[in-house]
Amino acid sequence: MTASADLSPTLQLACDLIRRPSVTPVDADCQKLMMQRLGDAGFALEPMRIEDVDNFWAHHGSQDGPVLCFAGHTDVVPTGPVQNWQIAPYEAVIDTDGMLHGRGAADMKGSLAAMLVAAEKFVGDYPNHKGAVTFLITSDEEGPAHHGTKAVVERLKARNERLDWCIVGEPSSTTLVGDVVKNGRRGSLGATLTVRGKQGHVAYPHLAANPIHLAAPALAELAAEQWDEGNAFFPPTSFQISNLNSGTGATNVIPGELTAVFNFRFSTESTVEGLKQRVTTLLDKHGLDWHVDWALSGLPFLTEPGALLDAVAASIKQVTGRDTQASTSGGTSDGRFIATLGTQVVELGPVNATIHQVNERILASDLDVLTDIYYQTLVKLLA
């Protein structure tokens, strides 16, 4: 392990954050540490504890000019069996190959450290910068996400706070830091479908109605449906059944009910109401006795080429020499809530190869590269 004194400011902070076991929604004083640092740098601080979730909003500068927000989360997913880790998940060790090990190294305590150090340097170098540098940090991104970024955004919206640009520190990179940035995400619409039949004896099917047999043609049609063709920014909308459950536990009983859990990851070519209506029409066509409980996790959002994406791409090129690729692939992020403010949103963070895995790790030096990219982006937009 590299001695702490030999580490860069970003790596020292990253290790300090990783050593705090902040499994959703527990923050383990990560935000206290961040707020202390930001307060020392001249940021105005506003803690926002909502229900059991710690959040904070920090602000430096004036809303008379453009506002750039760094957004992220201090919470991490559970470690899984600790005995399966080569290095204990909360020790924050840098090995002889230069890899920083620990839960949250990639997702996303490394990004938080890079953002904070970049912001400290920027407001120190440019105390009279244009506009404002802000932070929106939550401890509820990996969990239900009801009382985290979503709730903070609702408060900001209610008091007419403006966010022009937002960089979310999600681990966007694929092979090398900065090779991919996310400039949008697909929407996520989940559903639990219940198809009702009539329970009976398998030897007397004419006295029963098997919901598995009844639902199978409809489910097959749903799975084969072409929902849209996507567009220049998004792949076609996808439909996936993730769980199918029926039966009483006995082999000689026709069940009375079937439950299917499915999900749409949808592009801007489809709407929530449009997808619901098409599902309704298809189920009715098959004459089923059915009910659906819908759960919308997020709408699709897109940041087209413009000031933010241009500044991020130029900074990546300046620091690393490589061209970045903008992508909308992957799951959802808290960017979906921030985009509702009319904000340009880009996700930029470390390599995502080991996120949520046992032995999560990243190349330690990538965090210093990421710090430089964030700093140069600030200079291009606000200096």
Side-chain angles (χ1 to χ4, degrees):
M1 178 182 174
T2 305
S4 180
D6 297 329
L7 299 180
S8 69
T10 298
L11 283 169
Q12 289 183 36
L13 179 55
C15 289
D16 201 347
L17 291 171
I18 291 167
R19 291 185 182 118
R20 298 164 190 252
S22 54
V23 178
T24 312
V26 174
D27 173 66
D29 285 338
C30 291
Q31 293 181 26
K32 181 179 179 181
L33 172 62
M34 294 182 69
M35 284 191 286
Q36 181 179 347
R37 293 277 294 264
L38 290 170
D40 290 345
F43 280 75
L45 304 172
E46 184 178 356
M48 294 188 192
R49 184 169 175 84
I50 303 172
E51 299 293 335
D52 61 345
V53 176
D54 287 306
N55 310 284
F56 78 81
W57 170 251
H59 183 279
H60 189 284
S62 168
Q63 283 215 338
D64 291 341
V67 179
L68 184 146
C69 177
F70 285 114
H73 59 91
T74 54
D75 59 317
V76 297
V77 296
T79 63
V82 175
Q83 64 270 22
N84 292 344
W85 287 68
Q86 294 174 349
I87 297 171
Y90 299 118
E91 283 193 9
V93 170
I94 299 175
D95 66 21
T96 54
D97 294 323
M99 301 299 291
L100 171 61
H101 294 250
R103 176 58 85 223
D107 189 13
M108 58 174 285
K109 291 180 175 180
S111 298
L112 294 179
M115 289 172 169
L116 195 148
V117 172
E120 285 176 331
K121 176 173 170 52
F122 177 74
V123 300
D125 292 346
Y126 301 92
N128 300 314
H129 59 81
K130 294 185 295 186
V133 183
T134 63
F135 279 76
L136 195 171
I137 307 298
T138 184
S139 64
D140 183 35
E141 195 273 346
E142 302 288 7
H146 296 313
H147 305 302
T149 301
K150 179 182 179 182
V152 175
V153 165
E154 288 169 355
R155 292 191 179 187
L156 296 178
K157 190 181 299 185
R159 63 197 201 194
N160 297 316
E161 294 266 7
R162 192 184 80 255
L163 298 185
D164 298 287
W165 306 307
C166 180
I167 299 174
V168 184
E170 290 293 341
S172 63
S173 305
T174 302
T175 305
L176 300 167
V177 66
D179 59 357
V180 174
V181 298
K182 305 293 186 181
N183 66 321
R185 295 281 191 164
R186 294 175 294 174
S188 177
L189 177 64
T192 301
L193 166 67
T194 302
V195 177
R196 291 176 286 264
K198 183 179 179 182
Q199 185 173 317
H201 197 293
V202 295
Y204 301 94
H206 60 289
L207 299 177
N210 192 322
I212 301 173
H213 295 187
L214 294 172
L219 294 176
E221 190 170 340
L222 285 167
E225 184 78 1
Q226 179 75 35
W227 301 95
D228 60 47
E229 296 182 356
N231 55 35
F233 299 101
F234 290 95
T237 291
S238 68
F239 169 91
Q240 287 292 310
I241 299 170
S242 58
N243 189 280
L244 201 61
N245 185 266
S246 190
T248 65
T251 59
N252 61 349
V253 178
I254 293 171
E257 194 170 271
L258 173 142
T259 302
V261 179
F262 60 84
N263 178 268
F264 288 103
R265 291 301 166 103
F266 63 103
S267 76
T268 49
E269 294 298 306
S270 289
T271 65
V272 172
E273 290 308 315
L275 292 172
K276 289 181 178 180
Q277 184 55 54
R278 289 174 66 182
V279 170
T280 296
T281 300
L282 191 150
L283 294 173
D284 284 343
K285 184 181 80 171
H286 286 268
L288 301 177
D289 180 6
W290 62 273
H291 173 77
V292 174
D293 290 315
W294 296 98
L296 177 65
S297 298
L299 294 169
F301 69 91
L302 176 70
T303 296
E304 298 194 40
L308 177 61
L309 199 54
D310 290 350
V312 167
S315 297
I316 292 169
K317 181 75 170 180
Q318 178 179 339
V319 174
T320 70
R322 67 182 65 103
D323 296 317
T324 193
Q325 175 187 352
S327 169
T328 61
S329 64
T332 59
S333 78
D334 276 0
R336 69 192 188 273
F337 303 126
I338 297 165
T340 64
L341 295 170
T343 307
Q344 294 181 33
V345 179
V346 167
E347 297 174 25
L348 169 61
V351 173
N352 56 28
T354 62
I355 59 174
H356 291 206
Q357 296 182 17
V358 168
N359 298 319
E360 180 179 349
R361 61 199 180 278
I362 56 172
L363 187 64
S365 59
D366 279 354
L367 293 186
D368 291 324
V369 173
L370 191 59
T371 304
D372 289 343
I373 294 170
Y374 289 151
Y375 175 81
Q376 292 301 331
T377 302
L378 284 164
V379 170
K380 287 173 172 50
L381 291 171
L382 296 180

